[in-house]
């Protein structure tokens, strides 16, 4: 990425397999960064608009969103579309959301236009300078995700410990290694592969977890695995942060996201050095 481009530290949360916990990672990492005192944006790059809803920043069709920002194909076009996170917690004032609506699907027809993969990067330029941006992607490697990959510094991959989850993560790594340069982002790197929705009591999960060190090598963040917990699903449905849950399990998992956020801040410092 051009050294003079004004931007934040952009973390693309992606995985080819759907339902792996990408949006939960984006939502809960945003909360963790904000609790740590960091200003943080969540760019909803998924027409499902799940992170927009879970961060209480939904928009109606026609309201400014990431879709209009991309369509504009102009530097800084995202600026007017950001919304505050709607959670009442004091730290949530440090979270902004670039919301999506299902009409983000309409941007797919632009995929073949010259430079279309750079439109999100252009739109974000100057909007997130000096802060953290989390890019919550759809379960796809197609145009919307490619725009996010063209914009990001690092990639975080939630992986469910099951065959399809592992396959999806390996596909992402291969895709990034083969295509980052063609997306105009040769320095894009994998920050980590993080086990997600882990049910340690399941033999099949234990089996896949045991294979991960060999499959993912240095990318694997085995020590920050996110367990499957009803409290996480409930907090997602209620569009509240884990810390607002009455359940102890939610707070334990929030602590794990804090560890993850701190590790990403260390990585940001290392890459900036
Ligand atoms: N660790 C977890 N424990 C329990 N439920 C979870 C956990 N992580 C995610 N979920 C739930 O599983 C579903 C899928 O999670 P999420 O939406 O975060 O995945 P995703 O990868 O973003 O999905 P998509 O591919 O559709 O974008 C949601 O209902 C969410 O609440
Ligand atoms: Mg999602």
């Amino acid at each position: 990425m051009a050294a003079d481009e004004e931007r934040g530290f952009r973390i693309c949360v992606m995985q080819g397999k759907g339902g792996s916990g990408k949006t939960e990672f984006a939502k809960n990492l945003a909360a963790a960064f904000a609790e740590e005192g960091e200003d943080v944006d969540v760019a909803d790059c998924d027409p499902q608009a799940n992170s927009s809803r879970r961060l209480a920043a939904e928009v109606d069709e026609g309201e400014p969103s990431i879709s209009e920002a991309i369509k504009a194909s102009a530097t800084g076009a995202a600026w007017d579309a950001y919304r505050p996170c709607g959670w009442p917690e004091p730290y949530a004032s440090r979270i902004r959301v670039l919301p999506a609506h299902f009409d983000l699907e309409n941007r797919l027809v632009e995929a073949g236009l010259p430079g279309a993969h750079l439109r999100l990067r252009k739109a974000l330029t100057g909007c997130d300078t000096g802060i953290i941006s989390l890019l919550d992607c759809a379960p796809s490697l197609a145009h919307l995700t490619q725009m996010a990959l063209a914009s990001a510094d690092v990639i975080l991959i939630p992986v469910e410990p099951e065959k399809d989850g592992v396959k999806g993560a390996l596909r992402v790594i291969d895709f990034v290694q083969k295509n980052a340069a063609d997306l105009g982002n040769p320095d894009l790197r994998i920050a980590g592969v993080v086990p997600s929705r882990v049910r340690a009591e399941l033999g099949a999960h234990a089996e896949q977890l045991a294979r991960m060190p060999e499959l993912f090598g240095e990318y694997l963040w085995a020590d920050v695995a996110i367990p499957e917990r009803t409290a996480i699903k409930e907090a997602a449905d209620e569009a509240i942060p884990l810390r607002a849950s009455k359940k102890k399990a939610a707070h334990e998992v929030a602590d794990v996201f804090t560890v993850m956020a701190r590790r990403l801040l260390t990585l940001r410092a290392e890459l900036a050095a």
Side-chain angles (χ1 to χ4, degrees):
M1 210 171 292
D4 58 353
E5 192 175 310
E6 290 179 30
R7 65 180 201 274
F9 180 60
R10 300 199 188 129
I11 304 160
C12 183
V13 186
M14 69 174 295
Q15 155 66 294
K17 182 185 177 300
S20 53
K22 296 178 291 296
T23 301
E24 278 310 288
F25 272 46
K27 173 202 161 200
N28 297 315
L29 278 172
F33 281 123
E35 281 183 316
E36 292 292 293
E38 296 287 331
D39 289 326
V40 54
D41 289 347
V42 177
D44 195 341
C45 303
D46 184 350
Q48 297 182 99
N50 294 152
S51 52
S52 304
R53 187 193 64 76
R54 293 183 205 174
L55 288 150
E58 269 179 299
V59 285
D60 290 325
E61 191 170 6
E63 291 190 275
S65 71
I66 193 169
S67 178
E68 283 75 23
I70 292 167
K71 189 177 179 188
S73 188
T75 302
W79 187 260
D80 292 330
Y82 285 94
R83 299 204 149 205
C85 170
W87 298 338
E89 282 69 21
Y91 60 81
S93 65
R94 287 192 280 276
I95 306 174
R96 279 191 320 178
V97 182
L98 179 55
H101 184 268
F102 67 73
D103 63 4
L104 178 56
E105 299 273 17
N106 295 336
R107 302 283 67 77
L108 291 171
V109 297
E110 294 156 7
L113 298 177
H117 64 286
L118 296 173
R119 286 186 175 202
L120 177 62
R121 178 159 138 190
K122 263 203 279 189
L124 295 177
T125 298
C127 297
D128 60 357
T129 308
I131 67 172
I132 310 267
S133 273
L134 291 154
L135 282 61
D136 179 25
C137 291
S140 154
L141 299 180
H143 181 54
L144 296 175
T145 298
Q146 289 178 25
M147 283 193 287
L149 291 176
S151 308
D153 293 286
V154 298
I155 297 169
L156 197 62
I157 307 171
V159 56
E160 288 167 275
E162 53 177 68
K163 285 189 178 165
D164 292 341
V166 167
K167 201 171 155 192
L170 289 171
R171 194 156 64 95
V172 165
I173 294 169
D174 183 58
F175 184 85
V176 168
Q177 287 171 344
K178 288 188 175 137
N179 298 296
D182 283 344
L183 290 169
N185 199 4
D187 297 331
L188 180 64
R189 52 176 287 176
I190 314 275
V193 174
V194 185
S196 171
R197 311 196 63 177
V198 175
R199 293 174 63 186
E201 75 281 9
L202 286 184
H205 275 206
E207 202 177 297
Q208 292 302 323
L209 284 168
R211 292 179 68 215
M212 285 187 190
E214 192 185 337
L215 289 173
F216 297 118
E218 57 175 5
Y219 296 142
L220 183 65
W221 290 11
D223 57 321
V224 287
I226 300 297
E228 175 87 7
R229 294 284 179 267
T230 307
I232 301 178
K233 192 175 273 292
E234 288 170 350
D237 273 2
E238 291 170 35
I240 59 170
L242 293 174
R243 300 273 184 213
S245 167
K246 292 191 174 63
K247 297 202 170 156
K248 190 172 160 227
H251 292 257
E252 287 168 357
V253 174
D255 291 342
V256 181
F257 278 108
T258 298
V259 173
M260 220 188 286
R262 288 182 184 156
R263 189 167 300 178
L264 287 161
L265 289 172
T266 304
L267 178 60
R268 176 176 70 169
E270 283 169 6
L271 292 178

